[in-house]
Amino acid sequence: MTQTSSPTGAAAPARSDDGADAIVAAAARARAGGLVITPTDTVYGIGTTAADASAVARLLAAKGRGRQMPPPVLVAGRDQLDGVVADPPPAARALMDALWPGALTIVLDAAPALSWDLGETGGTIAVRMPDHPLALALLRAAGPMAVTSANPTGAEPATDADSAARAFPGRVTGSPDALAAVGAEGDEGGEPSILLIHGGPTPGPVPSTIVSVAGDDAARPRVLREGLIPSPRIEEILAPVLAAATGPSAPAPGSARRPAGEGRA
């Protein structure tokens, strides 16, 4: 694996030109409950396996976030939603057909038997399929991952690898070999070691748009955060679906928007 010097003082990140080796190492780290930083089609994200409650707790701690703000789950395709979400309603399927992979996070009802602990989700789960080759390759190899933007809560999101490394000073390496003796929980001081995949600059800093189709929102989806995909585009996609379900006078999707830079990649 290529190793170069880094202006951040950390080991240089695993670069995309290292190909499959970088993805294999990052996926193994994530599956073991370690933290991985990856580029996405919006900003850089930091994540871990969604199936490990201890790993998700480490992710939230690194972010400086409490359980009241659970991370979304990124997937490589709809097949990875099996057993994770309840049967998606027509509005959700229409949004996936039109905008996945892409900068759209969809909040759905969690599958009744799902045992994951992502935080205080209220029985819902936010899911997204990013449109970035490295992120998709990582997700195919690691499985669904809990991922949030690679910055401390309240800080500007990272749109390049160096910014992502600087967001977690002294905790980031691009060398899987450097993590060989470090468990997923971190070093003796309790600080987790974070593996960084270098994918060049991302299109950010605008994050994904978040739409809820969970519970009652299945009949009247709500835009929780307007991000890269504008609300009129969401309304355009949903209009025929809602009209078919309730008639031509069906209301447009609602809006309960959050600040565009808050939280999710």
Side-chain angles (χ1 to χ4, degrees):
M1 180 170 293
T2 303
Q3 191 75 28
T4 59
S5 61
S6 169
T8 64
R15 299 188 62 89
S16 59
D17 55 13
D18 292 315
D21 288 346
I23 296 301
V24 168
R29 184 71 180 168
R31 288 195 305 270
L35 301 183
V36 174
I37 293 176
T38 180
T40 76
D41 52 341
T42 55
V43 298
Y44 270 75
I46 180 171
T48 187
T49 175
D52 184 333
S54 296
V56 174
R58 285 190 289 274
L59 172 64
L60 294 175
K63 179 81 174 179
R65 171 178 293 179
R67 287 175 51 82
Q68 74 280 4
M69 295 183 70
V73 171
L74 267 55
V75 297
R78 292 198 209 183
D79 58 304
Q80 291 188 341
L81 295 178
D82 293 344
V84 174
V85 301
D87 187 33
R93 293 196 295 269
L95 291 171
M96 292 176 190
D97 287 343
L99 299 174
W100 274 17
L104 177 69
T105 299
I106 304 174
V107 180
L108 292 159
D109 292 315
L114 185 69
S115 61
W116 294 355
D117 184 1
L118 298 169
E120 298 172 9
T121 64
T124 66
I125 187 165
V127 293
R128 183 163 95 83
M129 180 183 178
D131 190 13
H132 192 288
L134 291 180
L136 290 172
L138 173 62
L139 294 164
R140 279 191 292 269
M145 291 178 60
V147 179
T148 182
S149 54
N151 56 276
T153 296
E156 288 296 314
T159 58
D160 59 70
D162 284 341
S163 296
R166 287 194 298 268
F168 305 95
R171 302 173 63 183
V172 177
T173 179
S175 171
D177 293 341
L179 302 179
V182 181
E185 296 81 4
D187 58 24
E188 293 180 355
E191 291 293 322
S193 295
I194 304 169
L195 182 60
L196 173 60
I197 300 173
H198 192 301
T202 67
V206 181
S208 66
T209 295
I210 304 175
V211 177
S212 173
V213 292
D216 292 342
D217 293 339
R220 189 174 186 267
R222 288 186 300 138
V223 176
L224 302 181
R225 179 182 74 186
E226 183 162 345
L228 198 60
I229 300 172
S231 291
R233 176 61 176 143
I234 302 295
E235 294 169 3
E236 176 187 14
I237 293 165
L238 292 178
V241 178
L242 300 180
T246 60
S249 61
S255 177
R257 296 186 184 124
R258 298 175 180 174
E262 185 64 26
R264 293 169 171 164

